[in-house]
Amino acid sequence: MMQKHFQKALNSLAPSTLYIVATPIGNLADITLRALAILQQADLVCAEDTRVSAQLLSAYGIQAKLISVREHNEQQMADKIIAALSAGQRVAQISDAGTPAICDPGAKLVARVREAGFAIVPVVGASAVMAALSVAGVAEPHFYFHGFLPAKSGERVKLLQSWENADYPVVAFETPHRIADTLRDVAAILPQRKLMLAREMTKTFETFLQGNAETLCEKLAADNNQTRGEMVLVLHASEKVQHETLPEHAQNVMKILAAELPTKQAADLAAKITGESKKALYDLAISWKN
């Protein structure tokens, strides 16, 4: 069955096409069959760091012509890639990890190739953003992805202040040498906000730390290993705003039920009656008690 799907992926490759191929964010086994088929058959593979990409290709016995397309040469290399597509070649764009063009090179290349009139095909796969969100326990149907947080504390503080009343979770990347300072800023601006720090996802030392910023600071201070590796920070939505944005009729229903039933049962029933979030209704009742 696996061979059948792999062969189907091989047969579907089209000439004069740029494939934007997601690669593993750590565990090489997370590569997809379609991605392997495309990398095996591509005439050119554009890589952020050819040394990193060579290790991935070597692990699967793929010999490909690698060219370096990085942030500072992306516009220049676009001309070379468009020429290859004009000659009928199949080109794959990959980054060091995850999906290209998401805080990585690729967006400028895609824009130039589309302007030139060639097909661009996404090849889905690993994403650090979605991986972190999937285990963060956020219930909101929407979120905001910021990318890397500002390096300067003053800029970072202003950004955190703008999220003080956010009714949506925020996902951001952070570097090991700044994570402690960032958490201290979060503790000062958003002391009660629930956080999750996802570190080294899919790798040997994968960890998920949860709590408020002060709690996470203590965990990092107790274990220096927690300040190493790739990091994704998830800030949960403001509970205060979640309560305030519940419709008045939903709050009234919850108030009546909470007076007669255990809070969890009342929230469950109120959610069925109003169609609102059970968690938001539960948190609202808890806030009344507090």
Side-chain angles (χ1 to χ4, degrees):
M1 181 63 72
M2 184 171 68
Q3 184 61 35
K4 177 183 177 181
H5 288 301
F6 185 76
Q7 191 60 46
K8 184 178 180 180
L10 284 174
N11 296 338
S12 68
L13 297 184
S16 300
T17 300
L18 172 63
Y19 292 92
I20 306 300
V21 183
T23 55
I25 60 175
N27 192 320
L28 295 186
D30 289 338
I31 192 79
T32 67
L33 290 177
R34 188 178 178 213
L36 289 174
I38 290 170
L39 294 174
Q40 185 179 92
Q41 294 295 313
D43 299 292
L44 284 177
V45 176
C46 308
E48 184 180 1
D49 186 328
T50 55
R51 295 166 299 180
V52 173
S53 296
Q55 294 176 14
L56 170 65
L57 299 181
S58 176
Y60 287 98
I62 297 174
Q63 294 183 343
K65 183 177 180 181
L66 283 167
I67 60 173
S68 179
V69 178
R70 304 181 299 279
E71 183 178 1
H72 76 273
N73 75 344
E74 192 172 354
Q75 287 281 16
Q76 176 188 348
M77 293 302 293
D79 293 330
K80 183 174 182 177
I81 293 160
I82 289 171
L85 294 171
S86 299
Q89 294 188 351
R90 294 167 292 200
V91 181
Q93 165 75 23
I94 60 178
S95 64
D96 289 350
T99 304
I102 310 298
C103 288
D104 275 322
K108 294 176 183 177
L109 174 61
V110 165
R112 288 286 306 279
V113 169
R114 179 167 284 113
E115 288 172 1
F118 293 102
I120 304 168
V121 176
V123 182
V124 300
S127 164
V129 174
M130 303 313 294
L133 275 173
S134 71
V135 295
V138 298
E140 292 75 20
H142 50 287
F143 68 92
Y144 171 70
F145 171 58
H146 183 79
F148 282 96
L149 293 170
K152 295 181 179 179
S153 181
E155 297 176 4
R156 196 163 55 235
V157 165
K158 288 182 180 178
L159 185 63
L160 292 171
Q161 289 172 336
S162 73
W163 294 333
E164 187 172 1
N165 293 319
D167 63 347
Y168 47 82
V170 175
V171 185
F173 294 155
E174 190 51 285
T175 60
H177 64 277
R178 287 203 302 263
I179 186 61
D181 290 339
T182 291
L183 288 175
R184 281 192 285 270
D185 286 341
V186 176
I189 306 301
L190 309 170
Q192 300 305 318
R193 187 69 56 89
K194 291 194 294 185
L195 306 175
M196 184 190 77
L197 177 62
R199 188 182 72 87
E200 293 287 85
M201 285 188 293
T202 80
K203 301 177 184 178
T204 302
F205 300 106
E206 174 184 80
T207 56
F208 300 98
L209 305 178
Q210 301 202 49
N212 60 26
E214 184 178 355
T215 299
L216 265 58
C217 282
E218 293 172 355
K219 291 181 178 179
L220 263 62
D223 183 0
N224 288 333
N225 288 323
Q226 298 303 327
T227 58
R228 299 176 180 176
E230 303 292 334
M231 298 181 174
V232 180
L233 193 63
V234 179
L235 287 77
H236 285 247
S238 168
E239 293 186 2
K240 177 181 178 182
V241 173
Q242 286 178 341
H243 301 160
E244 291 177 350
T245 55
L246 280 171
E248 186 176 354
H249 79 276
Q251 296 191 43
N252 290 336
V253 168
M254 186 63 197
K255 187 172 293 185
I256 294 169
L257 293 175
E260 302 294 332
L261 300 170
T263 305
K264 186 176 180 180
Q265 185 180 352
D268 185 48
L269 187 56
K272 292 176 181 177
I273 294 171
T274 65
E276 298 297 327
S277 164
K278 180 168 68 175
K279 180 179 184 303
L281 289 162
Y282 179 86
D283 290 344
L284 174 63
I286 293 300
S287 73
W288 288 336
K289 290 183 178 181
N290 292 338

